[in-house]
Amino acid sequence: MTATMTPTGKQGTNERVELARYTISADERVIYGQRVRGVVRIVDAPARGRGRRYVIERELTAMAELEAIVADYLEQTAMWDTIPAAGACYLVAELRERPR
């Protein structure tokens, strides 16, 4: 896709759009896209509405950029079974693997 996301004349906040959903052992989460003050941001939020939200990326300018980031993010969730935006996934996975 080669469409670009250009800022509109108004600087308000558009409705958020669900871009993807994923499940890890701890929770089900949703990735949303939203235009805020003329720029697009991507956030990771709990599917049930309560809990920590993470900003994945902000100030995106191209649809291809958004699609690539979401695809990579979903790949990381599948690989590490954790929320990538929460920190270094490989460290979290390693801590889970260590014997107590």
Side-chain angles (χ1 to χ4, degrees):
M1 213 174 217
T2 59
T4 58
M5 296 180 285
T6 55
T8 59
K10 54 185 182 174
Q11 294 295 311
T13 300
N14 291 16
E15 293 293 318
R16 67 183 184 179
V17 175
E18 185 175 317
L19 302 173
R21 228 171 236 273
Y22 69 93
T23 303
I24 55 176
S25 59
D27 200 6
E28 181 181 15
R29 309 223 15 123
V30 182
I31 299 173
Y32 292 107
Q34 186 174 29
R35 186 179 304 276
V36 178
R37 293 186 165 189
V39 294
V40 175
R41 70 176 177 184
I42 306 172
V43 297
D44 180 328
R48 291 174 185 76
R50 298 199 69 155
R52 177 99 189 247
R53 290 168 168 70
Y54 299 92
V55 175
I56 299 169
E57 191 67 59
R58 65 180 124 222
E59 298 188 28
L60 297 171
T61 57
M63 189 64 156
E65 200 176 27
L66 180 142
E67 291 169 343
I69 289 169
V70 170
D72 183 59
Y73 195 86
L74 292 173
E75 187 177 304
Q76 288 180 45
T77 64
M79 186 183 319
W80 304 112
D81 189 36
T82 191
I83 303 166
C89 295
Y90 66 93
L91 292 175
V92 172
E94 187 177 298
L95 286 173
R96 284 190 194 142
E97 298 292 321
R98 284 189 184 169
R100 295 179 185 220

